[in-house]
Amino acid sequence: SYIGEIYTIKIDYEKAMSFHRQAVEVCERLDAQFELAQSLLALGKTEYKMGQVKQSITTYERALRIAKEVDAPQERRRAYEALAQMYANLGDFSSAYRYVNLLSGIKDSLYNSDEDRKIQQLQFNADIEKRESQLQLQEATIQRQKIVNYAAGIFLFSIVIISLVTIRFFQVRKSHREKRKANEVLQAALNELK
């Protein structure tokens, strides 16, 4: 179908029609309804450019029926737009008006659905940002807690070391006092013996 559209742009309508028809046949064989609607829209466009307006209307109406069946709003929009234009060119303004109204309705629906998707995406992004902020806050809290624990560990270790040094200091001091007393007692005993 895309190759057919390229030939339509190049104004080689015979080749374009050949590729469009092949695409339609393949889609019908595979029962690929969505793709069939797209191929029929491309075929209808080429038929219209070739001046086959009535055939083009039939093709677009078929594409529209299929687009409704498979719930393809963009394809419905394209069909409504083309049919409104063709009927207006033919002077059938009541049919053109009907398709313009349908086109307006589908555009509103597409716009609302697009806006809903945008709102959902914004909400999703906000939720993700909120979650990331919470994770960063938790990580910062964990990091602070690690620092506090590390500082507390160093403090306790320092207290233990200071306590051990103080105990050892007092033990050494006591030992020196005892030695001094013992030396004084020995000196006094020596002095008595002399």
Side-chain angles (χ1 to χ4, degrees), residues 81-159:
E81 199 168 43
L83 288 166
Q85 180 184 359
M86 283 186 240
Y87 279 119
N89 289 345
L90 288 173
D92 184 351
F93 296 111
S94 66
S95 294
Y97 180 73
R98 180 168 52 101
Y99 283 111
V100 165
N101 282 338
L102 291 168
L103 175 62
S104 176
I106 194 81
K107 278 185 176 179
D108 288 345
S109 173
L110 287 171
Y111 175 78
N112 290 339
S113 135
D114 188 44
E115 289 303 308
D116 287 346
R117 270 195 302 276
K118 286 179 184 176
I119 289 169
Q120 288 173 350
Q121 185 63 43
L122 288 173
Q123 182 62 46
F124 177 75
N125 290 346
D127 291 345
I128 292 292
E129 287 177 17
K130 181 179 177 183
R131 183 70 181 134
E132 286 175 352
S133 294
Q134 289 173 342
L135 287 175
Q136 288 173 350
L137 182 61
Q138 285 176 348
E139 287 175 8
T141 303
I142 290 169
Q143 197 66 324
R144 272 196 304 273
Q145 191 60 44
K146 282 181 181 179
I147 290 170
V148 167
N149 289 345
Y150 183 69
I154 289 174
F155 178 73
L156 288 175
F157 181 73
S158 299
I159 298 254

Side-chain angles (χ1 to χ4, degrees), residues 9-34:
I9 292 168
K10 289 181 158 189
I11 312 175
D12 189 347
Y13 297 127
E14 294 305 316
K15 283 186 179 177
M17 291 294 287
S18 172
F19 281 104
H20 288 314
R21 286 188 183 118
Q22 286 177 19
V24 168
E25 288 173 14
V26 169
C27 291
E28 287 173 337
R29 233 187 352 251
L30 297 174
D31 195 31
Q33 296 300 301
F34 178 78

Side-chain angles (χ1 to χ4, degrees), residues 54-67:
K54 296 226 185 253
Q55 179 59 42
S56 179
I57 288 173
T58 303
T59 302
Y60 273 114
E61 286 176 342
R62 181 176 174 209
L64 178 59
R65 277 192 310 276
I66 294 168

Side-chain angles (χ1 to χ4, degrees), residues 171-193:
Q171 286 175 344
V172 169
R173 191 170 167 194
K174 183 179 178 184
S175 171
H176 281 345
R177 272 191 213 149
E178 288 174 358
K179 283 182 184 177
R180 200 177 318 136
K181 275 186 183 181
N183 282 339
E184 286 174 4
V185 168
L186 282 175
Q187 191 64 36
L190 263 174
N191 287 340
E192 280 180 25
L193 285 174

